Amino acid sequence: MTETDERRSRPARRVFPDGTEPDPRFTLANERTFLAWMRTALAFIAGGVALEAFSDASFGSSTRKVLAVCVVCVGLVIGLAAAFRWVSVERSMRERRPLPFPVLVPLLSLGAAVAAVTSILLVLSR
């Protein structure tokens, strides 16, 4: 074990056992990206809660519940995928491999498209 490895915390050595320490700017940029994805996930979760809590009679009760659960689930998936993405990007940087494909981007695009269609249907139904 090198001197740098000994200074790293046990969880850091467990999650990132191989490779070299990347430039701190890249690690911090990776963390900022993770936090941006988490804000997006929280926005979806809040949107699902708001859909259920504050909607009027535009949708039936069961339809509204299904839509709210779907929106919250998109937020849950984005949050989980953000954590896995953060780890995989950090490992890639440490091992000097190409960065992984951002699976979150198509998922978020699909979630936003569904939300937009739902909003359009809500406006047209009034």
Side-chain angles (χ1 to χ4, degrees):
M1 191 180 299
T2 67
E3 181 183 335
T4 303
D5 287 338
E6 289 175 4
R7 288 186 288 175
R8 292 173 55 215
S9 67
R10 180 175 289 168
R13 288 192 308 261
R14 183 175 297 153
V15 176
F16 309 118
D18 300 323
T20 59
E21 199 71 27
D23 185 327
R25 294 174 293 183
F26 299 132
T27 295
L28 294 172
N30 190 26
E31 288 178 10
R32 285 190 301 272
T33 303
F34 167 75
L35 292 173
W37 284 117
M38 291 307 293
R39 284 190 303 271
T40 303
L42 289 172
F44 269 90
I45 292 168
V49 170
L51 183 63
E52 176 56 27
F54 301 115
S55 65
D56 58 7
S58 296
F59 290 122
S61 176
S62 60
T63 303
R64 190 177 65 240
K65 283 188 188 308
V66 168
L67 287 173
V69 168
C70 287
V71 171
V72 170
C73 285
V74 169
L76 173 67
V77 169
I78 290 172
L80 291 172
F84 287 111
R85 169 104 177 131
W86 175 78
V87 170
S88 66
V89 167
E90 190 70 22
R91 284 183 179 158
S92 293
M93 288 189 303
R94 288 172 181 274
E95 297 169 7
R96 303 202 187 285
R97 290 182 292 137
L99 296 179
F101 177 77
V103 178
L104 286 172
V105 173
L107 174 67
L108 182 59
S109 297
L110 178 65
V114 169
V117 168
T118 302
S119 297
I120 290 169
L121 292 175
L122 181 61
V123 169
L124 291 176
S125 70
R126 290 184 163 236

